[in-house]
Amino acid sequence: MNRLSLNQITTKHWTLPQAVQGCVNAGIPAIGLWRDKVAETGLAESARLVRDAGLTVSSLCRGGFLTATGAGSRQAALAENLRALEEAAELGTDTLVMVVGGLPDGSRDLTGTRARVAELLAELAPHAGDFGVRLAIEPLHPMFCADRAVVSTLAQALDLAEQFPTEQVGVVVDSYHTWWDPQLAQQIARAADRIAAYQVCDWTLPLPPDTLLGRGHVGDGHIDFRTLTHHVTAAGYTGWIEVEIFNEQIWNTPGDQTLRTMIERHHTHVVAP
Amino acid sequence: MNRLSLNQITTKHWTLPQAVQGCVNAGIPAIGLWRDKVAETGLAESARLVRDAGLTVSSLCRGGFLTATGAGSRQAALAENLRALEEAAELGTDTLVMVVGGLPDGSRDLTGTRARVAELLAELAPHAGDFGVRLAIEPLHPMFCADRAVVSTLAQALDLAEQFPTEQVGVVVDSYHTWWDPQLAQQIARAADRIAAYQVCDWTLPLPPDTLLGRGHVGDGHIDFRTLTHHVTAAGYTGWIEVEIFNEQIWNTPGDQTLRTMIERHHTHVVAP
């Protein structure tokens, strides 16, 4: 339990105060926050609530979306990410999860789009350093390459991150997005202290009509969490294990019940010896 | 047109004789056959039909499914693949497309499953050599890793193929399965004369409820075919460009119309200067 964190998207229908109270009730010591939920409650009030509850904020979701073309869109993306960094700092987390964005509308220029991500990261990284927050690049599953994230593998995320100081840019290891990767073990070892977050949920089939929402509780699908956690731990990561699940059915389950399942699966599948 | 081939799944509701006649009518010089369609018409009759029509058989789909556990299942898989090799030889094609199979039911052992694929390939490869047919390992998109193919990247397919003589084991470059791969250009260059087949169709969104059927005509989606074809050509591949589309709507379109669209897109998106 001492490394377990609730990513609040897992209890999507809870407000931030409800999610904080849910963690306290369940004995979960950390929470990953989402910017829309923080905005709903107010930044200062959100920061106060988690602090007073004694919770650690394991991460803030999310920055990114760096792939639009044109000077105006680029400036807007930078400004938005600076706000996200500022919010992360105020909430007391050292990790801003970055979903980099997909191909711009009508574009087939994957190479150019990926290059643009690198350029904008270069502008953002020093600011992250100033805020004491790390940009955590999240490779998304290749099925989201066109529409959500042109960063598709851990190797690619590391190629980007390694252009910057470790304290400014890291990577997210998310089980759902990376479990299939033949290079996963070696890239996790390579990542070492670049690992800024470890997020878990399971690959379940069939995928639902909205493929974003196909993720299952740890243990309900095809991923070997014991081995994955072993690799992450062997790489030196001792941080939070954040449960992040996008799933309509789980969202419609009472939050307290979801947290009980999370805790049970954490023990039986993630940290079991 | 002189490199264009119809993979007959693209006109799923055509029998083999209809597909052969369709190619002749449209001036398409080659066809990729499927074993179930060949069986329906009969092996000898199928071979006669394509030969008499003057078509080249660019490939036979498909062998593989090498991941089941247990001696019985393993022997059954080997026997089935030997039959597929024999059919390929009789049909006069030098290429058997291999979809290696997903995780066995209830298994989370991805590493072990991948190792089993390598073992069975080692048993099959010499037989392929005897038949003068090449096993063409097809990496499938990572979203099919659990249920269809634990070979997910071109690099991984090449790691397997390179354990065997070039004439026995090659790889398939399929646009749909590989377009997202940050290592694609370098792995295609590495593949060189291991490229046994180049298959094309487009990545379109949203994915349909059955994610297998989400593929579009070349030009309808997010893939840059000109650049991809350039890489494949630069690697030395001068073989067939096979259009293979799984899509309910396209299957319900009259075959002749589908072939006209194929030809048009081939000119405007694939081989255009």
Side-chain angles (χ1 to χ4, degrees), chain B residues 209-254:
Chain B
D210 181 347
T211 50
L212 189 65
L213 309 184
R215 312 181 201 184
H217 271 295
V218 162
D220 283 348
H222 299 277
I223 300 175
D224 174 359
F225 284 95
R226 209 156 297 148
T227 299
L228 180 57
T229 304
H230 168 77
H231 290 313
V232 170
T233 304
Y237 181 77
T238 55
W240 299 103
I241 301 174
E242 209 178 83
V243 176
E244 185 192 47
I245 308 178
F246 292 70
N247 181 309
E248 198 77 49
Q249 202 179 329
I250 292 173
W251 289 345
N252 291 331
T253 302

mmCIF file of all heavy atoms in Angstrom, chain B residues 209-254:
data_model
loop_
_atom_site.group_PDB
_atom_site.id
_atom_site.type_symbol
_atom_site.label_atom_id
_atom_site.label_comp_id
_atom_site.label_asym_id
_atom_site.label_seq_id
_atom_site.Cartn_x
_atom_site.Cartn_y
_atom_site.Cartn_z
ATOM 1 N N PRO B 209 -16.035 -1.505 -34.227
ATOM 2 C CA PRO B 209 -16.185 -2.419 -33.087
ATOM 3 C C PRO B 209 -15.290 -3.655 -33.214
ATOM 4 O O PRO B 209 -14.663 -4.064 -32.247
ATOM 5 C CB PRO B 209 -17.663 -2.793 -33.128
ATOM 6 C CG PRO B 209 -18.327 -1.585 -33.715
ATOM 7 C CD PRO B 209 -17.344 -1.040 -34.725
ATOM 8 N N ASP B 210 -15.212 -4.241 -34.392
ATOM 9 C CA ASP B 210 -14.224 -5.301 -34.599
ATOM 10 C C ASP B 210 -12.976 -4.659 -35.171
ATOM 11 O O ASP B 210 -12.909 -4.326 -36.351
ATOM 12 C CB ASP B 210 -14.767 -6.369 -35.553
ATOM 13 C CG ASP B 210 -13.758 -7.495 -35.763
ATOM 14 O OD1 ASP B 210 -12.581 -7.330 -35.375
ATOM 15 O OD2 ASP B 210 -14.152 -8.534 -36.317
ATOM 16 N N THR B 211 -11.967 -4.474 -34.313
ATOM 17 C CA THR B 211 -10.785 -3.688 -34.708
ATOM 18 C C THR B 211 -10.019 -4.337 -35.857
ATOM 19 O O THR B 211 -9.197 -3.688 -36.485
ATOM 20 C CB THR B 211 -9.815 -3.504 -33.527
ATOM 21 O OG1 THR B 211 -9.572 -4.771 -32.927
ATOM 22 C CG2 THR B 211 -10.395 -2.555 -32.502
ATOM 23 N N LEU B 212 -10.293 -5.590 -36.124
ATOM 24 C CA LEU B 212 -9.635 -6.235 -37.258
ATOM 25 C C LEU B 212 -10.035 -5.588 -38.584
ATOM 26 O O LEU B 212 -9.283 -5.621 -39.559
ATOM 27 C CB LEU B 212 -10.024 -7.721 -37.274
ATOM 28 C CG LEU B 212 -9.266 -8.604 -38.260
ATOM 29 C CD1 LEU B 212 -7.797 -8.679 -37.892
ATOM 30 C CD2 LEU B 212 -9.875 -10.003 -38.323
ATOM 31 N N LEU B 213 -11.224 -5.013 -38.598
ATOM 32 C CA LEU B 213 -11.817 -4.574 -39.865
ATOM 33 C C LEU B 213 -11.715 -3.080 -40.110
ATOM 34 O O LEU B 213 -12.488 -2.507 -40.871
ATOM 35 C CB LEU B 213 -13.295 -5.003 -39.913
ATOM 36 C CG LEU B 213 -13.566 -6.482 -39.613
ATOM 37 C CD1 LEU B 213 -15.041 -6.806 -39.775
ATOM 38 C CD2 LEU B 213 -12.728 -7.383 -40.519
ATOM 39 N N GLY B 214 -10.739 -2.424 -39.483
ATOM 40 C CA GLY B 214 -10.671 -0.975 -39.540
ATOM 41 C C GLY B 214 -9.792 -0.416 -40.649
ATOM 42 O O GLY B 214 -9.450 0.762 -40.626
ATOM 43 N N ARG B 215 -9.437 -1.226 -41.619
ATOM 44 C CA ARG B 215 -8.446 -0.766 -42.605
ATOM 45 C C ARG B 215 -9.120 -0.112 -43.805
ATOM 46 O O ARG B 215 -10.196 -0.529 -44.215
ATOM 47 C CB ARG B 215 -7.592 -1.956 -43.038
ATOM 48 C CG ARG B 215 -7.120 -2.723 -41.808
ATOM 49 C CD ARG B 215 -6.259 -3.895 -42.100
ATOM 50 N NE ARG B 215 -6.282 -4.809 -40.952
ATOM 51 C CZ ARG B 215 -5.574 -5.918 -40.842
ATOM 52 N NH1 ARG B 215 -4.761 -6.254 -41.826
ATOM 53 N NH2 ARG B 215 -5.669 -6.682 -39.786
ATOM 54 N N GLY B 216 -8.462 0.883 -44.336
ATOM 55 C CA GLY B 216 -9.056 1.648 -45.422
ATOM 56 C C GLY B 216 -8.276 1.541 -46.716
ATOM 57 O O GLY B 216 -7.123 1.076 -46.736
ATOM 58 N N HIS B 217 -8.891 1.983 -47.788
ATOM 59 C CA HIS B 217 -8.174 2.121 -49.052
ATOM 60 C C HIS B 217 -6.979 3.050 -48.845
ATOM 61 O O HIS B 217 -7.048 4.024 -48.073
ATOM 62 C CB HIS B 217 -9.095 2.741 -50.118
ATOM 63 C CG HIS B 217 -9.885 1.732 -50.897
ATOM 64 N ND1 HIS B 217 -9.298 0.803 -51.721
ATOM 65 C CD2 HIS B 217 -11.231 1.509 -50.977
ATOM 66 C CE1 HIS B 217 -10.242 0.055 -52.296
ATOM 67 N NE2 HIS B 217 -11.423 0.455 -51.848
ATOM 68 N N VAL B 218 -5.924 2.749 -49.543
ATOM 69 C CA VAL B 218 -4.765 3.635 -49.601
ATOM 70 C C VAL B 218 -5.249 5.056 -49.923
ATOM 71 O O VAL B 218 -6.016 5.243 -50.880
ATOM 72 C CB VAL B 218 -3.813 3.130 -50.710
ATOM 73 C CG1 VAL B 218 -2.825 4.194 -51.130
ATOM 74 C CG2 VAL B 218 -3.106 1.849 -50.249
ATOM 75 N N GLY B 219 -4.855 6.007 -49.118
ATOM 76 C CA GLY B 219 -5.237 7.391 -49.366
ATOM 77 C C GLY B 219 -6.384 7.865 -48.498
ATOM 78 O O GLY B 219 -6.638 9.069 -48.406
ATOM 79 N N ASP B 220 -7.081 6.938 -47.845
ATOM 80 C CA ASP B 220 -8.213 7.337 -47.012
ATOM 81 C C ASP B 220 -7.814 7.644 -45.570
ATOM 82 O O ASP B 220 -8.663 8.057 -44.778
ATOM 83 C CB ASP B 220 -9.286 6.234 -46.999
ATOM 84 C CG ASP B 220 -10.109 6.219 -48.284
ATOM 85 O OD1 ASP B 220 -9.998 7.195 -49.048
ATOM 86 O OD2 ASP B 220 -10.844 5.235 -48.515
ATOM 87 N N GLY B 221 -6.563 7.441 -45.224
ATOM 88 C CA GLY B 221 -6.181 7.581 -43.823
ATOM 89 C C GLY B 221 -4.920 8.388 -43.598
ATOM 90 O O GLY B 221 -4.653 9.361 -44.299
ATOM 91 N N HIS B 222 -4.114 7.956 -42.626
ATOM 92 C CA HIS B 222 -3.027 8.765 -42.098
ATOM 93 C C HIS B 222 -1.632 8.370 -42.573
ATOM 94 O O HIS B 222 -0.641 8.973 -42.167
ATOM 95 C CB HIS B 222 -3.066 8.718 -40.567
ATOM 96 C CG HIS B 222 -4.335 9.252 -39.986
ATOM 97 N ND1 HIS B 222 -4.544 10.598 -39.797
ATOM 98 C CD2 HIS B 222 -5.480 8.638 -39.606
ATOM 99 C CE1 HIS B 222 -5.760 10.789 -39.295
ATOM 100 N NE2 HIS B 222 -6.348 9.613 -39.168
ATOM 101 N N ILE B 223 -1.556 7.347 -43.406
ATOM 102 C CA ILE B 223 -0.231 6.843 -43.785
ATOM 103 C C ILE B 223 0.315 7.543 -45.031
ATOM 104 O O ILE B 223 -0.398 7.757 -46.001
ATOM 105 C CB ILE B 223 -0.296 5.315 -44.018
ATOM 106 C CG1 ILE B 223 -0.742 4.616 -42.733
ATOM 107 C CG2 ILE B 223 1.056 4.785 -44.494
ATOM 108 C CD1 ILE B 223 -0.963 3.116 -42.869
ATOM 109 N N ASP B 224 1.602 7.871 -44.954
ATOM 110 C CA ASP B 224 2.315 8.501 -46.068
ATOM 111 C C ASP B 224 2.911 7.388 -46.937
ATOM 112 O O ASP B 224 4.024 6.921 -46.691
ATOM 113 C CB ASP B 224 3.400 9.410 -45.482
ATOM 114 C CG ASP B 224 4.303 10.007 -46.550
ATOM 115 O OD1 ASP B 224 4.118 9.703 -47.760
ATOM 116 O OD2 ASP B 224 5.217 10.760 -46.169
ATOM 117 N N PHE B 225 2.169 6.960 -47.949
ATOM 118 C CA PHE B 225 2.586 5.813 -48.759
ATOM 119 C C PHE B 225 3.762 6.112 -49.665
ATOM 120 O O PHE B 225 4.526 5.227 -50.022
ATOM 121 C CB PHE B 225 1.409 5.283 -49.585
ATOM 122 C CG PHE B 225 0.450 4.506 -48.744
ATOM 123 C CD1 PHE B 225 -0.673 5.109 -48.208
ATOM 124 C CD2 PHE B 225 0.696 3.179 -48.447
ATOM 125 C CE1 PHE B 225 -1.539 4.401 -47.395
ATOM 126 C CE2 PHE B 225 -0.165 2.462 -47.633
ATOM 127 C CZ PHE B 225 -1.284 3.073 -47.111
ATOM 128 N N ARG B 226 3.878 7.347 -50.076
ATOM 129 C CA ARG B 226 4.988 7.675 -50.976
ATOM 130 C C ARG B 226 6.316 7.464 -50.249
ATOM 131 O O ARG B 226 7.229 6.830 -50.767
ATOM 132 C CB ARG B 226 4.845 9.117 -51.465
ATOM 133 C CG ARG B 226 5.449 9.317 -52.827
ATOM 134 C CD ARG B 226 4.812 10.503 -53.530
ATOM 135 N NE ARG B 226 3.398 10.291 -53.757
ATOM 136 C CZ ARG B 226 2.468 11.248 -53.773
ATOM 137 N NH1 ARG B 226 2.822 12.503 -53.574
ATOM 138 N NH2 ARG B 226 1.210 10.966 -53.997
ATOM 139 N N THR B 227 6.386 7.976 -49.021
ATOM 140 C CA THR B 227 7.623 7.828 -48.246
ATOM 141 C C THR B 227 7.875 6.356 -47.903
ATOM 142 O O THR B 227 9.003 5.859 -48.031
ATOM 143 C CB THR B 227 7.537 8.669 -46.958
ATOM 144 O OG1 THR B 227 7.368 10.043 -47.329
ATOM 145 C CG2 THR B 227 8.793 8.530 -46.116
ATOM 146 N N LEU B 228 6.825 5.661 -47.499
ATOM 147 C CA LEU B 228 6.992 4.248 -47.149
ATOM 148 C C LEU B 228 7.493 3.446 -48.352
ATOM 149 O O LEU B 228 8.440 2.650 -48.240
ATOM 150 C CB LEU B 228 5.657 3.693 -46.643
ATOM 151 C CG LEU B 228 5.643 2.219 -46.229
ATOM 152 C CD1 LEU B 228 6.681 1.947 -45.150
ATOM 153 C CD2 LEU B 228 4.250 1.825 -45.736
ATOM 154 N N THR B 229 6.869 3.669 -49.500
ATOM 155 C CA THR B 229 7.279 2.947 -50.708
ATOM 156 C C THR B 229 8.719 3.302 -51.089
ATOM 157 O O THR B 229 9.484 2.440 -51.533
ATOM 158 C CB THR B 229 6.316 3.261 -51.868
ATOM 159 O OG1 THR B 229 4.982 2.941 -51.452
ATOM 160 C CG2 THR B 229 6.653 2.453 -53.114
ATOM 161 N N HIS B 230 9.073 4.558 -50.885
ATOM 162 C CA HIS B 230 10.455 4.969 -51.135
ATOM 163 C C HIS B 230 11.427 4.154 -50.278
ATOM 164 O O HIS B 230 12.444 3.662 -50.772
ATOM 165 C CB HIS B 230 10.615 6.463 -50.855
ATOM 166 C CG HIS B 230 12.042 6.906 -50.808
ATOM 167 N ND1 HIS B 230 12.801 7.088 -51.946
ATOM 168 C CD2 HIS B 230 12.859 7.151 -49.761
ATOM 169 C CE1 HIS B 230 14.030 7.445 -51.596
ATOM 170 N NE2 HIS B 230 14.079 7.494 -50.279
ATOM 171 N N HIS B 231 11.109 4.002 -48.993
ATOM 172 C CA HIS B 231 12.002 3.228 -48.116
ATOM 173 C C HIS B 231 12.108 1.779 -48.574
ATOM 174 O O HIS B 231 13.193 1.193 -48.599
ATOM 175 C CB HIS B 231 11.497 3.267 -46.670
ATOM 176 C CG HIS B 231 11.630 4.602 -46.010
ATOM 177 N ND1 HIS B 231 12.785 5.350 -46.078
ATOM 178 C CD2 HIS B 231 10.757 5.332 -45.263
ATOM 179 C CE1 HIS B 231 12.611 6.483 -45.410
ATOM 180 N NE2 HIS B 231 11.395 6.496 -44.914
ATOM 181 N N VAL B 232 10.951 1.202 -48.918
ATOM 182 C CA VAL B 232 10.932 -0.214 -49.317
ATOM 183 C C VAL B 232 11.729 -0.408 -50.617
ATOM 184 O O VAL B 232 12.484 -1.374 -50.767
ATOM 185 C CB VAL B 232 9.470 -0.697 -49.469
ATOM 186 C CG1 VAL B 232 9.413 -2.074 -50.114
ATOM 187 C CG2 VAL B 232 8.781 -0.722 -48.107
ATOM 188 N N THR B 233 11.576 0.539 -51.514
ATOM 189 C CA THR B 233 12.299 0.465 -52.786
ATOM 190 C C THR B 233 13.794 0.667 -52.571
ATOM 191 O O THR B 233 14.625 -0.061 -53.142
ATOM 192 C CB THR B 233 11.756 1.529 -53.759
ATOM 193 O OG1 THR B 233 10.343 1.323 -53.902
ATOM 194 C CG2 THR B 233 12.429 1.434 -55.120
ATOM 195 N N ALA B 234 14.139 1.638 -51.732
ATOM 196 C CA ALA B 234 15.551 1.914 -51.447
ATOM 197 C C ALA B 234 16.230 0.717 -50.793
ATOM 198 O O ALA B 234 17.440 0.514 -50.931
ATOM 199 C CB ALA B 234 15.683 3.149 -50.553
ATOM 200 N N ALA B 235 15.426 -0.097 -50.101
ATOM 201 C CA ALA B 235 15.988 -1.302 -49.468
ATOM 202 C C ALA B 235 16.255 -2.400 -50.490
ATOM 203 O O ALA B 235 16.825 -3.445 -50.161
ATOM 204 C CB ALA B 235 15.039 -1.811 -48.387
ATOM 205 N N GLY B 236 15.816 -2.173 -51.726
ATOM 206 C CA GLY B 236 16.100 -3.142 -52.786
ATOM 207 C C GLY B 236 14.910 -3.999 -53.188
ATOM 208 O O GLY B 236 15.033 -4.876 -54.040
ATOM 209 N N TYR B 237 13.752 -3.747 -52.585
ATOM 210 C CA TYR B 237 12.581 -4.559 -52.900
ATOM 211 C C TYR B 237 11.947 -4.099 -54.212
ATOM 212 O O TYR B 237 11.599 -2.925 -54.367
ATOM 213 C CB TYR B 237 11.544 -4.459 -51.772
ATOM 214 C CG TYR B 237 10.303 -5.299 -52.016
ATOM 215 C CD1 TYR B 237 10.319 -6.672 -51.814
ATOM 216 C CD2 TYR B 237 9.111 -4.711 -52.450
ATOM 217 C CE1 TYR B 237 9.181 -7.450 -52.038
ATOM 218 C CE2 TYR B 237 7.970 -5.476 -52.670
ATOM 219 C CZ TYR B 237 8.019 -6.848 -52.462
ATOM 220 O OH TYR B 237 6.902 -7.607 -52.682
ATOM 221 N N THR B 238 11.831 -5.042 -55.143
ATOM 222 C CA THR B 238 11.237 -4.710 -56.443
ATOM 223 C C THR B 238 10.025 -5.596 -56.730
ATOM 224 O O THR B 238 9.567 -5.682 -57.865
ATOM 225 C CB THR B 238 12.272 -4.908 -57.576
ATOM 226 O OG1 THR B 238 12.774 -6.261 -57.482
ATOM 227 C CG2 THR B 238 13.427 -3.942 -57.451
ATOM 228 N N GLY B 239 9.517 -6.238 -55.682
ATOM 229 C CA GLY B 239 8.433 -7.211 -55.848
ATOM 230 C C GLY B 239 7.052 -6.575 -55.858
ATOM 231 O O GLY B 239 6.891 -5.367 -56.058
ATOM 232 N N TRP B 240 6.071 -7.419 -55.601
ATOM 233 C CA TRP B 240 4.670 -7.006 -55.677
ATOM 234 C C TRP B 240 4.278 -6.057 -54.568
ATOM 235 O O TRP B 240 4.771 -6.139 -53.449
ATOM 236 C CB TRP B 240 3.773 -8.248 -55.644
ATOM 237 C CG TRP B 240 4.055 -9.137 -56.811
ATOM 238 C CD1 TRP B 240 4.781 -10.298 -56.816
ATOM 239 C CD2 TRP B 240 3.660 -8.895 -58.175
ATOM 240 N NE1 TRP B 240 4.863 -10.804 -58.093
ATOM 241 C CE2 TRP B 240 4.180 -9.967 -58.952
ATOM 242 C CE3 TRP B 240 2.922 -7.893 -58.807
ATOM 243 C CZ2 TRP B 240 3.978 -10.058 -60.320
ATOM 244 C CZ3 TRP B 240 2.722 -7.978 -60.164
ATOM 245 C CH2 TRP B 240 3.246 -9.050 -60.911
ATOM 246 N N ILE B 241 3.349 -5.184 -54.900
ATOM 247 C CA ILE B 241 2.714 -4.313 -53.909
ATOM 248 C C ILE B 241 1.271 -4.793 -53.808
ATOM 249 O O ILE B 241 0.462 -4.580 -54.712
ATOM 250 C CB ILE B 241 2.797 -2.834 -54.332
ATOM 251 C CG1 ILE B 241 4.258 -2.424 -54.505
ATOM 252 C CG2 ILE B 241 2.088 -1.956 -53.309
ATOM 253 C CD1 ILE B 241 4.458 -1.010 -55.060
ATOM 254 N N GLU B 242 1.011 -5.484 -52.711
ATOM 255 C CA GLU B 242 -0.246 -6.211 -52.565
ATOM 256 C C GLU B 242 -1.229 -5.387 -51.726
ATOM 257 O O GLU B 242 -0.885 -4.969 -50.623
ATOM 258 C CB GLU B 242 0.074 -7.529 -51.860
ATOM 259 C CG GLU B 242 -0.833 -8.676 -52.192
ATOM 260 C CD GLU B 242 -0.391 -9.952 -51.472
ATOM 261 O OE1 GLU B 242 -0.754 -10.105 -50.296
ATOM 262 O OE2 GLU B 242 0.303 -10.794 -52.085
ATOM 263 N N VAL B 243 -2.405 -5.185 -52.247
ATOM 264 C CA VAL B 243 -3.424 -4.428 -51.512
ATOM 265 C C VAL B 243 -4.262 -5.412 -50.695
ATOM 266 O O VAL B 243 -4.948 -6.267 -51.258
ATOM 267 C CB VAL B 243 -4.332 -3.624 -52.461
ATOM 268 C CG1 VAL B 243 -5.433 -2.930 -51.676
ATOM 269 C CG2 VAL B 243 -3.500 -2.622 -53.254
ATOM 270 N N GLU B 244 -4.165 -5.272 -49.372
ATOM 271 C CA GLU B 244 -4.874 -6.195 -48.478
ATOM 272 C C GLU B 244 -5.714 -5.387 -47.503
ATOM 273 O O GLU B 244 -5.185 -4.767 -46.586
ATOM 274 C CB GLU B 244 -3.870 -7.075 -47.714
ATOM 275 C CG GLU B 244 -4.570 -8.127 -46.865
ATOM 276 C CD GLU B 244 -3.635 -8.825 -45.877
ATOM 277 O OE1 GLU B 244 -2.870 -8.129 -45.183
ATOM 278 O OE2 GLU B 244 -3.679 -10.045 -45.798
ATOM 279 N N ILE B 245 -7.025 -5.425 -47.690
ATOM 280 C CA ILE B 245 -7.910 -4.586 -46.870
ATOM 281 C C ILE B 245 -8.971 -5.432 -46.177
ATOM 282 O O ILE B 245 -9.710 -6.172 -46.825
ATOM 283 C CB ILE B 245 -8.609 -3.506 -47.729
ATOM 284 C CG1 ILE B 245 -7.576 -2.718 -48.547
ATOM 285 C CG2 ILE B 245 -9.427 -2.574 -46.841
ATOM 286 C CD1 ILE B 245 -8.178 -1.656 -49.455
ATOM 287 N N PHE B 246 -9.014 -5.300 -44.851
ATOM 288 C CA PHE B 246 -10.090 -5.892 -44.054
ATOM 289 C C PHE B 246 -11.052 -4.759 -43.709
ATOM 290 O O PHE B 246 -10.727 -3.895 -42.891
ATOM 291 C CB PHE B 246 -9.554 -6.466 -42.741
ATOM 292 C CG PHE B 246 -8.679 -7.671 -42.882
ATOM 293 C CD1 PHE B 246 -7.419 -7.599 -43.427
ATOM 294 C CD2 PHE B 246 -9.134 -8.907 -42.432
ATOM 295 C CE1 PHE B 246 -6.607 -8.721 -43.534
ATOM 296 C CE2 PHE B 246 -8.326 -10.037 -42.529
ATOM 297 C CZ PHE B 246 -7.064 -9.947 -43.082
ATOM 298 N N ASN B 247 -12.217 -4.756 -44.312
ATOM 299 C CA ASN B 247 -13.155 -3.655 -44.080
ATOM 300 C C ASN B 247 -14.539 -4.078 -44.578
ATOM 301 O O ASN B 247 -14.718 -4.320 -45.777
ATOM 302 C CB ASN B 247 -12.654 -2.401 -44.818
ATOM 303 C CG ASN B 247 -13.552 -1.196 -44.604
ATOM 304 O OD1 ASN B 247 -14.767 -1.279 -44.789
ATOM 305 N ND2 ASN B 247 -12.960 -0.084 -44.224
ATOM 306 N N GLU B 248 -15.473 -4.162 -43.663
ATOM 307 C CA GLU B 248 -16.815 -4.650 -43.974
ATOM 308 C C GLU B 248 -17.455 -3.856 -45.113
ATOM 309 O O GLU B 248 -18.085 -4.413 -46.016
ATOM 310 C CB GLU B 248 -17.679 -4.528 -42.704
ATOM 311 C CG GLU B 248 -18.931 -5.359 -42.697
ATOM 312 C CD GLU B 248 -18.665 -6.840 -42.405
ATOM 313 O OE1 GLU B 248 -17.959 -7.134 -41.425
ATOM 314 O OE2 GLU B 248 -19.154 -7.681 -43.174
ATOM 315 N N GLN B 249 -17.276 -2.538 -45.066
ATOM 316 C CA GLN B 249 -17.912 -1.685 -46.073
ATOM 317 C C GLN B 249 -17.308 -1.931 -47.465
ATOM 318 O O GLN B 249 -18.029 -2.010 -48.463
ATOM 319 C CB GLN B 249 -17.730 -0.226 -45.659
ATOM 320 C CG GLN B 249 -18.723 0.722 -46.271
ATOM 321 C CD GLN B 249 -18.473 2.157 -45.791
ATOM 322 O OE1 GLN B 249 -18.013 2.369 -44.661
ATOM 323 N NE2 GLN B 249 -18.762 3.134 -46.627
ATOM 324 N N ILE B 250 -15.995 -2.072 -47.494
ATOM 325 C CA ILE B 250 -15.335 -2.349 -48.784
ATOM 326 C C ILE B 250 -15.715 -3.743 -49.267
ATOM 327 O O ILE B 250 -15.939 -3.962 -50.468
ATOM 328 C CB ILE B 250 -13.806 -2.157 -48.654
ATOM 329 C CG1 ILE B 250 -13.489 -0.667 -48.426
ATOM 330 C CG2 ILE B 250 -13.065 -2.688 -49.885
ATOM 331 C CD1 ILE B 250 -12.048 -0.351 -48.116
ATOM 332 N N TRP B 251 -15.839 -4.675 -48.346
ATOM 333 C CA TRP B 251 -16.263 -6.025 -48.739
ATOM 334 C C TRP B 251 -17.668 -6.014 -49.350
ATOM 335 O O TRP B 251 -17.987 -6.854 -50.192
ATOM 336 C CB TRP B 251 -16.241 -6.969 -47.526
ATOM 337 C CG TRP B 251 -14.848 -7.306 -47.066
ATOM 338 C CD1 TRP B 251 -13.683 -7.106 -47.755
ATOM 339 C CD2 TRP B 251 -14.469 -7.905 -45.820
ATOM 340 N NE1 TRP B 251 -12.604 -7.545 -47.011
ATOM 341 C CE2 TRP B 251 -13.058 -8.039 -45.826
ATOM 342 C CE3 TRP B 251 -15.174 -8.345 -44.701
ATOM 343 C CZ2 TRP B 251 -12.356 -8.605 -44.751
ATOM 344 C CZ3 TRP B 251 -14.476 -8.916 -43.632
ATOM 345 C CH2 TRP B 251 -13.083 -9.033 -43.662
ATOM 346 N N ASN B 252 -18.495 -5.079 -48.902
ATOM 347 C CA ASN B 252 -19.859 -5.012 -49.426
ATOM 348 C C ASN B 252 -19.982 -4.166 -50.689
ATOM 349 O O ASN B 252 -21.072 -3.954 -51.210
ATOM 350 C CB ASN B 252 -20.807 -4.488 -48.345
ATOM 351 C CG ASN B 252 -20.968 -5.510 -47.226
ATOM 352 O OD1 ASN B 252 -20.862 -6.712 -47.457
ATOM 353 N ND2 ASN B 252 -21.218 -5.036 -46.014
ATOM 354 N N THR B 253 -18.833 -3.667 -51.169
ATOM 355 C CA THR B 253 -18.807 -2.908 -52.424
ATOM 356 C C THR B 253 -18.582 -3.903 -53.571
ATOM 357 O O THR B 253 -17.843 -4.863 -53.399
ATOM 358 C CB THR B 253 -17.635 -1.899 -52.371
ATOM 359 O OG1 THR B 253 -17.817 -1.055 -51.240
ATOM 360 C CG2 THR B 253 -17.552 -1.066 -53.634
ATOM 361 N N PRO B 254 -19.210 -3.696 -54.741
ATOM 362 C CA PRO B 254 -18.938 -4.589 -55.870
ATOM 363 C C PRO B 254 -17.428 -4.681 -56.138
ATOM 364 O O PRO B 254 -16.735 -3.654 -56.150
ATOM 365 C CB PRO B 254 -19.677 -3.914 -57.036
ATOM 366 C CG PRO B 254 -20.786 -3.147 -56.389
ATOM 367 C CD PRO B 254 -20.230 -2.681 -55.061
#
